[in-house]
Amino acid sequence: MAKAKKYRLAQIVERFGGEIIGNPQTPISQVATLENAAAQHIAFLTHGKYRKQLAGTRAGAVILGKADSDLTQLPRIVCDDPYLYFAKVSSLFNPQPMARPGVHRTAVVERGTRVPASANVGAGAYIGRGVKLGKGVVIGAGCYLGDAVEIGAASRLQARVTVYPGCRVGQRVLVHSGAVIGADGFGLALEGDAWRKIPQTGGVAIGDDVEIGANTCIDRGTLEDTVVEEGVKLDNLIQIGHNVRIGAHTAIAGCTGIAGSTRIGKHCMIGGAASIVGHLDIADHVVINAATVVTKSIRKAGTYSGHPAEDSRSWTRHVALLRHLDALHERLRSIEQRLSTREKKA
Amino acid sequence: MAKAKKYRLAQIVERFGGEIIGNPQTPISQVATLENAAAQHIAFLTHGKYRKQLAGTRAGAVILGKADSDLTQLPRIVCDDPYLYFAKVSSLFNPQPMARPGVHRTAVVERGTRVPASANVGAGAYIGRGVKLGKGVVIGAGCYLGDAVEIGAASRLQARVTVYPGCRVGQRVLVHSGAVIGADGFGLALEGDAWRKIPQTGGVAIGDDVEIGANTCIDRGTLEDTVVEEGVKLDNLIQIGHNVRIGAHTAIAGCTGIAGSTRIGKHCMIGGAASIVGHLDIADHVVINAATVVTKSIRKAGTYSGHPAEDSRSWTRHVALLRHLDALHERLRSIEQRLSTREKKA
Amino acid sequence: MAKAKKYRLAQIVERFGGEIIGNPQTPISQVATLENAAAQHIAFLTHGKYRKQLAGTRAGAVILGKADSDLTQLPRIVCDDPYLYFAKVSSLFNPQPMARPGVHRTAVVERGTRVPASANVGAGAYIGRGVKLGKGVVIGAGCYLGDAVEIGAASRLQARVTVYPGCRVGQRVLVHSGAVIGADGFGLALEGDAWRKIPQTGGVAIGDDVEIGANTCIDRGTLEDTVVEEGVKLDNLIQIGHNVRIGAHTAIAGCTGIAGSTRIGKHCMIGGAASIVGHLDIADHVVINAATVVTKSIRKAGTYSGHPAEDSRSWTRHVALLRHLDALHERLRSIEQRLSTREKKA
């Protein structure tokens, strides 16, 4: 994947800041792990536990934090946040591949839809009527865009994404294969013993700079839109129910489910396989750990865990107490014996 | 999405019952929420917590229950079950769009399959040999129907649904994008240290009036069919293992997994992200709350929660007790001190 | 599905071993369950709980273990492991259907890719540039193979599988519909208040004889490959994060999520809906029960359960203790009363 250009350390620091220790002319052509780097690579140290690998690395240069700057003699860039710095350097060496503009001969574009000259539409893609595509959009092979869909400029749908009619996607959005945007929400009313379907006439509104993982589903709203605000990052196999709103810059890891009408705040971090029931409010800056089951609204920023969710410290404490119940029983037995002894003596 | 016809309140009540208070000639052209309704809309009040919004609504009319009938001066329909009534009125204003009959020029229909004149087959859809399609079926763009599949009349497969060979789908069934019906069940036997695949030669039988959510998977049976009975409603990202049977009119929310050979009763309600292990029997009319882990058969109707599942009241009680273990330790400490005091005095 | 050949019991035993009791010339044309078998079928008894069905079966012959060999008068094959034996016999009667070689006229194969004469490429499939396909591969209808993908000989991708560029799949691999191999891992760095994407430039390497379930996702690595070793079996709707390694012959049931950089040992069995957080090490021969939440590395073979995971026996004990906390409170109350009585008397 690497026809990357070469950059010298000095050029990298010119772009992204940080301080060079060692030869600023060291040429770099790619990023790599400490373990597998070669002379033309720049590696990085972010976790203490990889310090041992630093000693043995064959990297040409290393990115690390100030506290670690003396741990190697290699040419290095010292910076505040080596992980973020690595992200930037990796983007420099691995730019998103450009898709050549054009509509594949096997794609179907219905009447009333104009594909911008700068856009790419892949093989077998289907684009319905009255669809609005921004400049430079990439619609992958086998994608389905229903009527009146809108996709903002520079957004990219990987192969085999489905967008139901009327849903709107912002700019610079990346959607991975198998994702389904705008299927019907799970809206049912009991009529006697059977279920009657409630029409789902709302849409889905996806903000700018959102990423949506493979096979993730975002249901359309019942009457109004399901909303994913700008900068939200969704991993794979996530379920977002109808009328949910996800606040800006919230990140949600894979296999998480969020039931209908729940509102998640901005800047939240939600671990994998979390379950959040419907009609809740989650405040801004809330962290929900993996596999947490949230059954009540969370009004305060903080870190939450457990089934059902509680403050993470409490959960840790309660798990520890649960695991010491045997000892507690033992204490109880001992007390009962001492008490019996007292009673007999009296 | 709304080129809906207008109806007067009197016409609505004529169809669906209920009592009008206020002007029966009030014209209505769509349903809306209390918060966002305008004069041409009918809104509805189902939850007490939306009463505040009733005061400020600009709706032309409101649907509400008898207990709430005096809470507004707007023209209104008073009925027993406002949520169900809303469902009916919404269906009136939002009929399922009709698909024009015809087979898209890019669809592939193999020999031995006849597409009824009333059916619609979308762009890029693939239909194998000996497939039986009922009247008025809609096969969305990019769908795959293996050989000998059967789809009953008036059923609709949204874009990009997969149905493996030999699976049978009833009438008026709605399947959402990305759903996979009839993939191999997870049948393996250990042969020494490695796994040997067991051929999955059963099929899948889906009853009438079933709805299947986006990216949901229903595996084919090992020797006999996996069965989803009539009226079952499955949300998104659900896994139904091989040889499972889901009883009629059961509703299952998203991210739930049901392992092989388990039988779920009729009229059950299963919350999101529930896990039900294999080879169990779940009785009729069982309610399983979100994220519940069911490890044993449930023989009695009731509501179940927790990990592992138990009666919901017990689970709530046990969670509360767990959270008061610190207090219990405190009591224990106090007892031990009092006892020591006694012992010293004696 | 059955145009299967007939075999006599003697021929079956010649292939797979075991001992015949009864007429070795009994002709068999298919496998079936005890309950539904007819005279031309061979059924099998693997679980004690099906013994009652043995009495009533109309099967022509039965496969069973030595301990059960006298439970029927029917012609029978007695063997060490009836379940494995059944798997073999079922494979004999139900060989994988052969796909006729050829490239469907609606498939797209880009320049620089050669499809072997023995391969089958289905309708609407898309195969990018520089893809390497082994002999006898089957690429189902609507599949997407990005540039430089490699698929080993005799592997089969069912309809609508996605393989991102550069990913490598071994020989005799079976991938079910909707699976997505090689989407970007969930790699993000915080830059102020917003997320910056980390390019995911590693790939995915799938070993020989792997099976991947419907709608399962395996993310590409950040810098190096995500690895699924030979003989691994993955059920449906599983999420494998970036840089994960799954050891050979491990089986994972549906709805399980494994977060980034975790390493799973060889010969593990992981139940459905398990959650394993990132950066952990799981030893070989570990069994993780359904819905278990693994938050720490597991260094020792054994069986684990619970939330958070612990040794299964401990989990069972702790659940039991939790459910007896009411009794414990009762004991405490009684002690306090007795103590008060003592104190008053003193």
Side-chain angles (χ1 to χ4, degrees), chain B residues 21-77:
Chain B
I21 304 181
N23 180 6
Q25 298 309 314
T26 312
I28 301 296
S29 64
Q30 190 49 279
V31 292
T33 58
L34 286 167
E35 197 176 359
N36 292 322
Q40 71 276 25
H41 297 150
I42 189 164
F44 58 102
L45 176 70
T46 55
H47 268 276
K49 76 167 180 169
Y50 295 112
R51 274 185 197 140
K52 281 181 203 164
Q53 295 181 3
L54 183 58
T57 190
R58 283 173 292 183
V62 180
I63 300 164
L64 31 59
K66 283 171 186 172
D68 297 327
S69 65
D70 294 339
L71 296 179
T72 180
Q73 295 307 310
L74 291 173
R76 52 208 182 272
I77 297 175

Side-chain angles (χ1 to χ4, degrees), chain C residues 63-210:
Chain C
I63 300 165
L64 32 58
K66 282 170 188 174
D68 296 328
S69 65
D70 294 339
L71 295 179
T72 179
Q73 297 306 312
L74 290 173
R76 51 207 183 272
I77 297 174
V78 179
C79 61
D80 290 333
D81 183 344
Y83 191 61
L84 173 60
Y85 203 100
F86 153 67
K88 292 177 180 174
V89 175
S90 182
S91 296
L92 179 68
F93 286 112
N94 303 286
Q96 172 85 340
M98 298 295 290
R100 277 196 307 185
V103 177
H104 195 276
R105 63 179 167 80
T106 60
V108 173
V109 180
E110 299 284 5
R111 276 172 297 160
T113 292
R114 207 185 66 77
V115 178
S118 55
N120 172 291
V121 178
Y126 174 89
I127 302 183
R129 298 184 182 193
V131 170
K132 288 185 184 148
L133 300 178
K135 284 185 183 169
V137 299
V138 177
I139 308 298
C143 282
Y144 172 88
L145 275 60
D147 295 346
V149 160
E150 297 180 28
I151 309 286
S155 285
R156 175 182 288 250
L157 277 55
Q158 299 285 18
R160 299 181 49 259
V161 167
T162 302
V163 188
Y164 276 58
C167 296
R168 306 186 315 282
V169 173
Q171 300 186 11
R172 298 173 303 280
V173 170
L174 173 58
V175 187
H176 284 284
S177 297
V180 178
I181 298 172
D184 287 349
F186 200 55
L188 305 163
L190 263 182
E191 183 171 17
D193 258 1
W195 296 102
R196 172 183 268 270
K197 182 177 177 67
I198 297 172
Q200 303 291 303
T201 62
V204 175
I206 309 281
D208 296 337
D209 300 299
V210 167

Side-chain angles (χ1 to χ4, degrees), chain B residues 97-132:
Chain B
M98 297 296 290
R100 276 196 307 182
V103 177
H104 195 275
R105 62 178 167 79
T106 60
V108 173
V109 180
E110 298 285 5
R111 276 172 298 160
T113 291
R114 208 185 65 77
V115 177
S118 56
N120 173 290
V121 178
Y126 174 88
I127 303 183
R129 297 183 182 194
V131 170
K132 288 187 184 147

Side-chain angles (χ1 to χ4, degrees), chain A residues 123-145:
Chain A
Y126 173 89
I127 303 183
R129 297 184 182 192
V131 170
K132 288 185 184 148
L133 300 177
K135 284 186 184 168
V137 298
V138 178
I139 308 298
C143 282
Y144 172 87
L145 275 59

Side-chain angles (χ1 to χ4, degrees), chain C:
Chain C
M1 312 200 87
K3 293 165 256 175
K5 292 204 292 181
K6 274 188 189 169
Y7 292 86
R8 298 184 182 281
L9 284 191
Q11 293 173 300
I12 293 172
V13 163
E14 208 174 303
R15 283 175 181 249
F16 303 128
E19 184 196 348
I20 299 172
I21 303 181
N23 180 5
Q25 299 310 315
T26 311
I28 301 296
S29 65
Q30 190 49 280
V31 293
T33 58
L34 286 168
E35 198 176 358
N36 292 323
Q40 71 276 26
H41 296 151
I42 189 164
F44 57 101
L45 176 70
T46 54
H47 268 276
K49 77 166 179 169
Y50 296 112
R51 273 185 198 143
K52 280 182 205 165
Q53 295 182 4
L54 183 58
T57 190
R58 282 172 293 183
V62 180
I63 300 165
L64 32 58
K66 282 170 188 174
D68 296 328
S69 65
D70 294 339
L71 295 179
T72 179
Q73 297 306 312
L74 290 173
R76 51 207 183 272
I77 297 174
V78 179
C79 61
D80 290 333
D81 183 344
Y83 191 61
L84 173 60
Y85 203 100
F86 153 67
K88 292 177 180 174
V89 175
S90 182
S91 296
L92 179 68
F93 286 112
N94 303 286
Q96 172 85 340
M98 298 295 290
R100 277 196 307 185
V103 177
H104 195 276
R105 63 179 167 80
T106 60
V108 173
V109 180
E110 299 284 5
R111 276 172 297 160
T113 292
R114 207 185 66 77
V115 178
S118 55
N120 172 291
V121 178
Y126 174 89
I127 302 183
R129 298 184 182 193
V131 170
K132 288 185 184 148
L133 300 178
K135 284 185 183 169
V137 299
V138 177
I139 308 298
C143 282
Y144 172 88
L145 275 60
D147 295 346
V149 160
E150 297 180 28
I151 309 286
S155 285
R156 175 182 288 250
L157 277 55
Q158 299 285 18
R160 299 181 49 259
V161 167
T162 302
V163 188
Y164 276 58
C167 296
R168 306 186 315 282
V169 173
Q171 300 186 11
R172 298 173 303 280
V173 170
L174 173 58
V175 187
H176 284 284
S177 297
V180 178
I181 298 172
D184 287 349
F186 200 55
L188 305 163
L190 263 182
E191 183 171 17
D193 258 1
W195 296 102
R196 172 183 268 270
K197 182 177 177 67
I198 297 172
Q200 303 291 303
T201 62
V204 175
I206 309 281
D208 296 337
D209 300 299
V210 167
E211 183 165 350
I212 297 173
N215 284 343
T216 279
C217 301
I218 304 175
D219 280 348
R220 65 192 316 120
T222 305
L223 294 170
E224 294 159 11
D225 287 347
T226 301
V227 178
V228 177
E229 294 181 0
E230 70 272 15
V232 166
K233 308 295 177 181
L234 302 177
D235 196 0
N236 301 343
L237 288 168
I238 288 174
Q239 156 67 0
I240 306 289
H242 54 177
N243 306 107
V244 165
R245 174 179 283 265
I246 314 274
H249 306 294
T250 281
I252 305 182
C255 303
T256 285
I258 300 178
S261 300
T262 281
R263 287 164 167 259
I264 310 281
K266 299 179 198 296
H267 303 290
C268 293
M269 289 195 276
I270 302 182
S275 302
I276 306 184
V277 308
H279 297 273
L280 303 188
D281 281 297
I282 309 296
D284 296 346
H285 294 285
V286 164
V287 176
I288 295 175
N289 280 330
T292 296
V293 179
V294 182
T295 58
K296 293 182 180 168
S297 289
I298 297 179
R299 309 289 183 186
K300 253 179 66 182
T303 303
Y304 298 83
S305 305
H307 181 183
E310 56 183 325
D311 175 83
S312 279
R313 283 194 191 185
S314 301
W315 166 251
T316 304
R317 171 100 184 117
H318 293 141
V319 167
L321 286 168
L322 179 59
R323 292 185 174 176
H324 285 86
L325 276 179
D326 267 321
L328 198 146
H329 273 267
E330 206 43 66
R331 272 167 80 188
L332 211 53
R333 216 167 296 134
S334 152
I335 288 171
E336 284 166 340
Q337 278 179 353
R338 287 160 66 189
L339 196 53
S340 293
T341 309
R342 280 298 92 208
E343 286 167 344
K344 275 177 205 156
K345 287 196 178 163

Side-chain angles (χ1 to χ4, degrees), chain B residues 8-344:
Chain B
R8 297 183 183 281
L9 285 191
Q11 293 173 300
I12 294 172
V13 163
E14 208 175 304
R15 284 177 182 248
F16 303 128
E19 184 197 346
I20 299 172
I21 304 181
N23 180 6
Q25 298 309 314
T26 312
I28 301 296
S29 64
Q30 190 49 279
V31 292
T33 58
L34 286 167
E35 197 176 359
N36 292 322
Q40 71 276 25
H41 297 150
I42 189 164
F44 58 102
L45 176 70
T46 55
H47 268 276
K49 76 167 180 169
Y50 295 112
R51 274 185 197 140
K52 281 181 203 164
Q53 295 181 3
L54 183 58
T57 190
R58 283 173 292 183
V62 180
I63 300 164
L64 31 59
K66 283 171 186 172
D68 297 327
S69 65
D70 294 339
L71 296 179
T72 180
Q73 295 307 310
L74 291 173
R76 52 208 182 272
I77 297 175
V78 179
C79 60
D80 290 333
D81 183 343
Y83 191 60
L84 174 60
Y85 203 100
F86 154 66
K88 292 177 180 174
V89 175
S90 182
S91 296
L92 179 67
F93 286 113
N94 302 285
Q96 172 85 340
M98 297 296 290
R100 276 196 307 182
V103 177
H104 195 275
R105 62 178 167 79
T106 60
V108 173
V109 180
E110 298 285 5
R111 276 172 298 160
T113 291
R114 208 185 65 77
V115 177
S118 56
N120 173 290
V121 178
Y126 174 88
I127 303 183
R129 297 183 182 194
V131 170
K132 288 187 184 147
L133 300 177
K135 283 187 185 168
V137 298
V138 177
I139 308 298
C143 282
Y144 172 86
L145 275 59
D147 295 346
V149 160
E150 298 180 27
I151 309 286
S155 285
R156 175 183 288 250
L157 277 55
Q158 299 285 18
R160 300 182 48 258
V161 167
T162 303
V163 187
Y164 276 57
C167 296
R168 306 187 315 281
V169 174
Q171 300 187 10
R172 298 173 304 280
V173 169
L174 174 58
V175 187
H176 284 284
S177 296
V180 178
I181 297 171
D184 287 348
F186 200 53
L188 305 163
L190 263 182
E191 184 170 16
D193 257 2
W195 297 102
R196 172 183 270 268
K197 182 177 178 67
I198 298 171
Q200 303 291 303
T201 62
V204 175
I206 309 282
D208 296 337
D209 300 298
V210 167
E211 182 165 349
I212 297 173
N215 285 343
T216 280
C217 301
I218 304 174
D219 279 349
R220 64 192 316 119
T222 305
L223 294 170
E224 294 159 10
D225 287 347
T226 302
V227 178
V228 177
E229 295 181 359
E230 71 273 14
V232 166
K233 308 295 177 181
L234 302 178
D235 197 0
N236 301 343
L237 289 168
I238 288 173
Q239 156 67 0
I240 307 290
H242 54 177
N243 305 109
V244 165
R245 174 179 282 266
I246 314 274
H249 307 294
T250 280
I252 305 183
C255 303
T256 286
I258 301 178
S261 300
T262 282
R263 288 165 165 257
I264 310 280
K266 299 180 198 296
H267 304 289
C268 293
M269 289 195 276
I270 301 183
S275 303
I276 306 184
V277 308
H279 296 273
L280 303 187
D281 280 297
I282 309 296
D284 296 346
H285 294 284
V286 164
V287 176
I288 294 174
N289 280 330
T292 296
V293 179
V294 182
T295 58
K296 294 181 180 168
S297 289
I298 297 179
R299 309 288 183 187
K300 253 179 66 181
T303 302
Y304 297 83
S305 305
H307 180 182
E310 56 183 326
D311 175 83
S312 280
R313 283 193 191 185
S314 302
W315 166 252
T316 304
R317 172 98 185 119
H318 292 141
V319 166
L321 286 168
L322 179 59
R323 292 185 176 175
H324 285 84
L325 276 179
D326 267 321
L328 197 146
H329 273 267
E330 206 42 67
R331 273 167 79 188
L332 211 53
R333 215 166 297 136
S334 152
I335 289 171
E336 284 166 340
Q337 278 180 354
R338 286 160 66 189
L339 197 52
S340 295
T341 309
R342 279 301 89 207
E343 287 166 343
K344 274 176 206 159

